[in-house]
Amino acid sequence: MATPLPNTLYLGSFVHSKTLTELEYLHDTAIAVDATGTIVAIEPLTPSTPTALPARLGWAPSPATTTIIRAKPGSQFFFPGFVDTHLHAPQYPNVGLFGASSLLDWLNTYTFPLEASLSDPAKARPVYARVIRKTLAHGTTTAAYYATVDVGSTNLLADLCLAAGQRALVGRVCMDSDLSPAYYRDEGPEEAVAATLASIAHIDRIDPGGGLVRPVLTPRFAPSCTPALLKGLGELAAQRPDVPIQTHISENVGEVALVREMFPEQESYAGVYDAFGLLTGRTILAHAVHLTEGEAELVARRGAKVSHCPCSNSAITSGAARVRWLLEKGVVCGLGTDMSGGYSASVLEAARQAVLVSRHVSLVESEGEGAKLSVEEVLYLATRGGAKVVGLEERVGAFEVGREWDAQLVGLGVVDGEGGLSEGGTDGEEGGVDVFGWESWEEKVAKWVFNGDDRNTRRVWVRGRLVHERK
Amino acid sequence: MATPLPNTLYLGSFVHSKTLTELEYLHDTAIAVDATGTIVAIEPLTPSTPTALPARLGWAPSPATTTIIRAKPGSQFFFPGFVDTHLHAPQYPNVGLFGASSLLDWLNTYTFPLEASLSDPAKARPVYARVIRKTLAHGTTTAAYYATVDVGSTNLLADLCLAAGQRALVGRVCMDSDLSPAYYRDEGPEEAVAATLASIAHIDRIDPGGGLVRPVLTPRFAPSCTPALLKGLGELAAQRPDVPIQTHISENVGEVALVREMFPEQESYAGVYDAFGLLTGRTILAHAVHLTEGEAELVARRGAKVSHCPCSNSAITSGAARVRWLLEKGVVCGLGTDMSGGYSASVLEAARQAVLVSRHVSLVESEGEGAKLSVEEVLYLATRGGAKVVGLEERVGAFEVGREWDAQLVGLGVVDGEGGLSEGGTDGEEGGVDVFGWESWEEKVAKWVFNGDDRNTRRVWVRGRLVHERK
């Protein structure tokens, strides 16, 4: 990042996940973020804070050199930036387009043609620029992206993330089996590994420390990879223990049957990844809708993580993932928008749908009431849980000294006596959330989860840098 | 309405439901709407239309006295206004607040206290003004409202709908059984009928022809009414065949069991309403999630209509209504937001959730693929179907000569080469839908259904009157 950051004090109300089931509400609080974008102090706000705290931190001698950002009392709060643990950047133009399809026909009808076409950078640039801008506007400070098979297109996505200041995992998609059409696949396993290495080398070069953008090994999913490719990627994973892995698992019953047929020597779908050294503590598994007991236990044992994608699972009729069951098995879970299997760029929408889908799960007799996910739980998945899924649990996902300032300022509309808004902007910019003044903070947050949209996300920071601001 | 309307020509692209499964796309078209708000001509747009059509219609001699409103080619279209066939205006402040509750505990915890408090007009006014403004902004041109038990509060809602120009059914809620708390119920059946008559008289007086606002008989639901009250309302329904009826049915399994217990002499829940003369061709039944075969057939035989409320049914874990099954039984269906059982003011959100819930239904083996609702079908339910549900099928819901101009102008964002927008406003006002330029019209509409919000609804008209415009 070119411009150095100012030391900054954030003042007001802060809300973040303390545990899976508990949000912490810090009111009248000050958080100090230094020029590296790191949280260096969290303490109660007093009248002397704006001068005393910078002095105590040894920041510049004059308080004027400290930037101060306040959340409006009652209607605004700081919240950790969202972590989108699974999405396909090139598919963004297809959001909402899926008809009555399910996974395998959806890939051939909607997805492969679009992804293939983005090897043209003139077509890819506006798509990627738009998806980054859109996800940032929705408060996504970290995104685990699948790019395409094309190295140039993948590298372009990494470049654009870095330029926009979005924290990202960027993966070149590996797929060499004839499940994929001849016009859109790797030529063979060796070519696939070489192309992957080329993309990793590019990302290592543009962001050497991986402070913002990192590569990720991305076998699309077992059926689109030959055993030789899975083997090659497993060896690469062993050579580069710093590089995470992402793939799909057990999204759809037809896909599960296909894996059984293609890999008859393996006991299960999870077993395929495990056999090739790809089921690890740094593996992100999208979906996990139809895992068996044994598979869930294997996933937990290996410490692999799950990206729950409720919008996608409902839209393309994959099923309803049993998140409570996964959590109880000890599997770490986060949320993914899975655009464009999922129809929305918003992790908040994924959180909302995670609540709703969990109600459908709870209606299944064997699951029951306990399956319901609360507002607190889905917000945990969207932030602290997601940070664990992408291996950034020490850096983002919560407000703690030593973590980096990846955050959003959320603002709600305050209704006046005539049904207009006394706060929260004009009619054109009010967002979906109306507060009448008598709500508790827990209620304000629930209202935000169910009716919030990008208008409520007023500003977004990554590593202390302002990366989005509503006009 | 105080000010007379100008004669108006609407020019450009129009989309509306032709049948349940088919949207009609009328491009380069002109629709003429006269000073009464009625559609008087629909024809292909030619260069001479703006002068020749008004002349042919015998409108004022000078074309300057005709208002002309154009949809931008490619990114805007006119669509019929939405019909929200079921919502509770007083519950609007509670949108998104339901925790892990289901129907009966939700009523006692969240709903009754709020509704009771709105007998204070100083509290009711901003709530009602806001819900009207909000639903209009989301393109709801017709709303079937439940108000509260209080006559004054109900009449205030009717007054505000009329002033805002929203087409509405406004019902005073009848509930005299001890299911409801002593602080919030009718004193007895006679008092309930008298209060209902008082509210009907008020609405008849403020809008004598019922051109915009109409009364509706509103027994809350069977368990909250004594047999004597249901009998009284059945008699009232017979005396006033011009007044529709709205109530809830078979939303939740606990509720169904309660009805069986409270009305042991009736064969079924639907049978209760039928026994009291309340199951008629002008009855709107909200939910209908757990109807038996026999009940669905009875509902169809009586010509009663169903308001499908998917957001609510998922949120408070009522179940997944089998809409395809109802349609195949010959039951006319529309969509309801059911605020605040439902969390959103948007019929478009209800349409989206209707698609998603239908996918969960399709995963049940006995239902299968055929249960899936398409984009075309949910938009039919939201407009033409909804118009039938509320008894306005000859006046609204589609673009046809003789129907009234209840419509919305929908605008989509057009992405430019750098990922910004070349059309559709600034970053602050772009809405959720991005168009890249290569989409078919069918794809544009699907994108709108899945990512559209109130920002995409640029203007809204009811009976030819502009009732909402984005700044």
Side-chain angles (χ1 to χ4, degrees):
Chain A
M1 283 172 284
T3 42
L5 295 170
N7 293 313
T8 305
L9 290 186
Y10 297 89
L11 310 179
S13 291
F14 299 78
V15 183
H16 71 149
S17 293
K18 203 167 169 183
T19 65
L20 175 64
T21 55
E22 194 186 352
L23 286 171
E24 183 171 47
Y25 294 83
L26 299 165
H27 301 296
D28 300 316
T29 294
I31 292 190
V33 176
D34 72 12
T36 72
T38 305
I39 297 173
V40 292
I42 302 178
E43 53 183 61
L45 175 61
T46 67
S48 67
T49 300
T51 48
L53 182 54
R56 185 152 51 75
L57 291 167
W59 286 357
S62 153
T65 62
T66 299
T67 297
I68 294 186
I69 295 169
R70 289 176 195 270
K72 284 188 196 169
S75 67
Q76 294 188 339
F77 59 96
F78 296 99
F79 196 82
F82 291 132
V83 180
D84 188 343
T85 59
H86 181 69
L87 77 165
H88 297 261
Q91 295 175 21
Y92 175 64
N94 274 351
V95 282
L97 308 182
F98 50 87
S101 67
S102 58
L103 179 62
L104 300 176
D105 54 323
W106 171 80
L107 282 170
N108 281 301
T109 308
Y110 296 95
T111 305
F112 291 150
L114 176 60
E115 288 192 15
S117 74
L118 294 204
S119 58
D120 174 4
K123 188 167 180 190
R125 179 177 288 276
V127 170
Y128 292 158
R130 188 71 189 155
V131 74
I132 292 166
R133 193 188 285 210
K134 203 81 180 171
T135 52
L136 282 175
H138 282 279
T140 300
T141 50
T142 301
Y145 286 116
Y146 287 54
T148 75
V149 170
D150 187 69
V151 173
S153 168
T154 303
N155 294 351
L156 174 62
L157 176 59
D159 294 343
L160 293 173
C161 288
L162 192 63
Q166 187 174 49
R167 202 183 287 273
L169 277 56
V170 177
R172 192 201 74 89
V173 178
C174 297
M175 43 197 278
D176 70 335
S177 85
D178 59 10
L179 178 92
S180 315
Y183 70 82
Y184 186 56
R185 65 184 183 221
D186 287 304
E187 280 179 40
E190 284 166 29
E191 291 84 350
V193 170
T196 298
L197 284 168
S199 178
I200 292 175
H202 176 81
I203 297 170
D204 283 347
R205 192 175 66 246
I206 61 169
D207 191 7
L212 210 61
V213 180
R214 296 175 174 200
V216 51
L217 296 181
T218 308
R220 184 173 203 115
F221 66 147
S224 66
C225 298
T226 61
L229 175 52
L230 292 173
K231 183 162 173 288
L233 292 173
E235 288 164 3
L236 188 49
Q239 289 155 21
R240 285 290 301 257
D242 58 319
V243 176
I245 303 160
Q246 61 184 357
T247 190
H248 301 78
I249 197 168
S250 205
E251 178 173 358
N252 164 290
V253 289
E255 168 213 11
V256 173
L258 186 62
V259 170
R260 203 176 298 123
E261 190 183 301
M262 290 176 72
F263 299 88
E265 66 284 5
Q266 302 304 335
E267 209 171 280
S268 69
Y269 198 156
V272 173
Y273 294 132
D274 197 43
F276 292 105
L278 293 166
L279 194 70
T280 74
R282 56 200 157 97
T283 301
I284 307 164
L285 299 166
H287 305 299
V289 178
H290 302 283
L291 292 186
T292 64
E293 290 280 328
E295 283 181 293
E297 282 155 16
L298 177 61
V299 167
R301 213 154 54 234
R302 295 288 182 263
K305 316 297 191 291
V306 164
S307 171
H308 173 45
C309 305
C311 295
S312 169
N313 295 339
S314 296
I316 59 173
T317 324
S318 299
R322 295 176 297 157
V323 176
R324 176 73 63 213
W325 172 78
L326 288 168
L327 292 170
E328 285 176 351
K329 293 275 183 204
V331 177
V332 170
C333 297
L335 293 178
T337 61
D338 187 28
M339 289 197 290
S340 71
Y343 51 84
S344 169
S346 163
V347 173
L348 198 64
E349 172 77 11
R352 184 151 59 224
Q353 293 300 319
V355 170
L356 298 177
V357 165
S358 78
R359 267 108 187 108
H360 287 278
V361 174
S362 82
L363 286 163
V364 177
E365 210 165 334
S366 55
E367 304 293 329
E369 284 289 303
K372 291 184 182 176
L373 298 175
S374 66
V375 161
E376 289 75 12
E377 288 174 319
V378 297
L379 289 175
Y380 175 95
L381 298 181
T383 54
R384 202 184 267 263
K388 286 187 185 180
V389 168
V390 300
L392 292 170
E393 65 269 30
E394 292 179 2
R395 300 177 67 170
V396 305
F399 299 136
E400 289 171 3
V401 171
R403 293 206 192 208
E404 295 171 14
W405 181 251
D406 281 26
Q408 53 188 313
L409 176 64
V410 177
L412 311 177
V414 180
V415 178
D416 67 23
E418 296 302 315
L421 287 186
S422 61
E423 244 180 60
T426 65
D427 247 32
E429 182 58 18
E430 58 189 27
V433 187
D434 286 344
V435 169
F436 285 80
W438 60 71
E439 294 88 348
S440 68
W441 271 97
E442 288 76 7
E443 290 176 332
K444 288 177 195 172
V445 169
K447 284 188 155 193
W448 173 53
V449 167
F450 280 96
N451 281 307
D453 61 37
D454 51 315
R455 285 171 287 191
N456 298 106
T457 294
R458 312 280 188 200
R459 297 194 207 175
V460 181
W461 297 265
V462 175
R463 284 184 103 190
R465 179 179 169 198
L466 184 69
V467 291
H468 173 75
E469 182 169 25
R470 295 204 72 78
K471 305 287 187 286
Chain B
M1 282 173 284
T3 43
L5 296 169
N7 292 312
T8 306
L9 289 186
Y10 297 90
L11 309 179
S13 291
F14 300 77
V15 184
H16 70 149
S17 293
K18 203 168 169 183
T19 66
L20 174 64
T21 56
E22 194 186 351
L23 286 171
E24 183 171 46
Y25 294 83
L26 299 165
H27 300 296
D28 301 317
T29 293
I31 290 189
V33 176
D34 73 12
T36 72
T38 305
I39 297 173
V40 292
I42 302 179
E43 53 182 61
L45 176 61
T46 68
S48 67
T49 300
T51 48
L53 182 54
R56 185 153 51 73
L57 291 167
W59 286 356
S62 153
T65 62
T66 298
T67 298
I68 293 187
I69 296 170
R70 289 176 195 271
K72 283 187 195 170
S75 68
Q76 294 189 338
F77 58 97
F78 296 98
F79 196 82
F82 291 132
V83 181
D84 188 343
T85 60
H86 182 69
L87 77 164
H88 297 261
Q91 295 174 20
Y92 175 64
N94 274 352
V95 283
L97 308 183
F98 51 87
S101 68
S102 59
L103 179 61
L104 300 177
D105 55 322
W106 170 80
L107 283 171
N108 281 301
T109 307
Y110 296 94
T111 306
F112 291 149
L114 176 60
E115 288 193 14
S117 74
L118 293 204
S119 58
D120 174 3
K123 187 166 180 192
R125 178 178 289 275
V127 170
Y128 292 157
R130 189 71 189 156
V131 75
I132 293 166
R133 194 188 284 211
K134 203 81 179 171
T135 52
L136 282 175
H138 282 279
T140 299
T141 49
T142 300
Y145 285 117
Y146 286 55
T148 73
V149 170
D150 187 69
V151 173
S153 169
T154 302
N155 294 351
L156 174 63
L157 176 58
D159 294 343
L160 293 173
C161 288
L162 192 64
Q166 187 175 48
R167 202 183 286 273
L169 276 56
V170 177
R172 192 202 74 90
V173 179
C174 297
M175 43 197 279
D176 70 335
S177 84
D178 59 10
L179 179 91
S180 316
Y183 71 81
Y184 186 56
R185 66 184 183 219
D186 287 304
E187 281 180 39
E190 283 165 31
E191 291 84 349
V193 170
T196 298
L197 284 169
S199 179
I200 293 175
H202 176 81
I203 298 170
D204 282 348
R205 193 175 65 246
I206 61 169
D207 192 6
L212 209 63
V213 180
R214 296 174 175 201
V216 50
L217 296 181
T218 307
R220 184 173 204 117
F221 68 145
S224 67
C225 298
T226 61
L229 175 52
L230 292 173
K231 184 163 173 288
L233 292 172
E235 287 164 4
L236 188 49
Q239 289 155 20
R240 285 291 301 257
D242 59 317
V243 176
I245 302 160
Q246 63 183 356
T247 190
H248 301 78
I249 196 167
S250 206
E251 179 173 358
N252 163 291
V253 290
E255 169 212 9
V256 173
L258 186 61
V259 169
R260 203 176 299 123
E261 190 182 301
M262 289 176 72
F263 298 88
E265 66 286 4
Q266 302 305 335
E267 209 172 279
S268 69
Y269 198 156
V272 173
Y273 294 131
D274 197 43
F276 292 105
L278 293 166
L279 195 70
T280 74
R282 57 200 157 96
T283 302
I284 307 164
L285 299 166
H287 304 299
V289 177
H290 302 284
L291 291 185
T292 63
E293 290 279 329
E295 283 181 294
E297 283 155 17
L298 176 61
V299 168
R301 215 154 51 234
R302 295 287 183 264
K305 318 296 193 291
V306 164
S307 171
H308 174 46
C309 305
C311 295
S312 169
N313 295 339
S314 296
I316 59 173
T317 325
S318 300
R322 295 177 296 157
V323 176
R324 176 73 64 214
W325 172 78
L326 288 169
L327 292 170
E328 285 177 351
K329 293 274 182 203
V331 177
V332 171
C333 297
L335 293 178
T337 61
D338 189 27
M339 287 196 291
S340 73
Y343 50 83
S344 169
S346 162
V347 173
L348 198 64
E349 171 77 12
R352 184 149 63 223
Q353 294 301 318
V355 169
L356 299 176
V357 165
S358 78
R359 267 109 187 108
H360 287 277
V361 174
S362 83
L363 287 162
V364 176
E365 210 165 333
S366 55
E367 305 294 327
E369 283 288 304
K372 290 183 182 176
L373 298 175
S374 67
V375 161
E376 288 76 11
E377 288 174 318
V378 297
L379 289 176
Y380 175 93
L381 298 182
T383 55
R384 202 184 268 263
K388 286 187 186 180
V389 169
V390 300
L392 292 170
E393 64 269 30
E394 291 180 1
R395 301 178 66 171
V396 305
F399 298 136
E400 289 172 1
V401 171
R403 294 206 192 208
E404 296 172 13
W405 181 251
D406 281 27
Q408 53 188 314
L409 176 64
V410 178
L412 310 176
V414 180
V415 178
D416 67 24
E418 296 303 314
L421 287 187
S422 62
E423 244 179 62
T426 66
D427 249 31
E429 182 59 19
E430 58 189 28
V433 187
D434 285 345
V435 169
F436 285 80
W438 58 71
E439 295 88 347
S440 67
W441 271 98
E442 288 75 8
E443 290 175 333
K444 288 178 195 172
V445 169
K447 285 188 156 195
W448 174 53
V449 167
F450 280 97
N451 281 307
D453 61 36
D454 50 315
R455 284 171 287 191
N456 298 106
T457 294
R458 310 281 188 201
R459 298 195 207 176
V460 181
W461 297 265
V462 175
R463 284 184 102 192
R465 179 178 170 199
L466 184 69
V467 290
H468 173 75
E469 183 169 23
R470 294 204 72 79
K471 306 285 187 286

